[in-house]
Amino acid sequence: MKNAKEIAAMTITGKERAAVERHDRTMNYINLTMMKTIEKAANEGNTCIELKVSSEIDRDLIVQVFTANGFKASYKGYYVSVDWWDSFY
C-alpha cells in the first residue's frame, strides 16, 4: 500500500502533466484554428472575431498570447474575442 505522501506526489505529477497538456492543446488551438479564422476574417475585411471555445482550452492563455502579439483580446464565459484593428491605429 502507498502512503499519503506517495499519493500526494502522484497527484502533483498528474496536475503538472494536465497543465502541460492544457497549454499545448491551447497553443495548437491558437495556431491551427484561431489564426486560420483570423486570417480568413481579415481577408474578408473584418476587424475582429469571436469564437466559442471548449472548457479544455485555457482562455487566459489565449488572451496573454494575443495581447503579447499586439491584438486586443478578451473573453466572457467561453466566448473569446480578438480584435486587430484597434492595434493598427
Side-chain angles (χ1 to χ4, degrees):
M1 180 173 152
K2 293 184 176 164
N3 65 36
K5 278 189 172 185
E6 292 170 320
I7 297 298
M10 290 172 62
T11 301
I12 290 169
T13 301
K15 285 181 175 268
E16 289 170 348
R17 183 179 55 251
V20 168
E21 289 171 356
R22 183 174 172 90
H23 179 273
D24 292 347
R25 186 171 38 253
T26 301
M27 292 305 297
N28 284 335
Y29 183 76
I30 289 169
N31 291 316
L32 301 175
T33 300
M34 292 187 76
M35 286 310 301
K36 285 182 182 178
T37 303
I38 287 170
E39 290 173 7
K40 182 177 185 273
N43 283 327
E44 293 172 355
N46 296 313
T47 61
C48 62
I49 63 160
E50 182 176 88
L51 295 172
K52 184 176 183 181
V53 300
S54 77
S55 61
E56 296 180 356
I57 302 297
D58 186 342
R59 294 170 306 279
D60 289 318
L61 179 57
I62 289 174
V63 170
Q64 289 173 356
V65 168
F66 279 101
T67 300
N69 284 284
F71 294 85
K72 181 180 174 188
S74 63
Y75 71 89
K76 185 172 184 177
Y78 291 104
Y79 288 90
V80 176
S81 298
V82 180
D83 183 299
W84 52 89
W85 191 251
D86 288 341
S87 300
F88 187 67
Y89 289 100

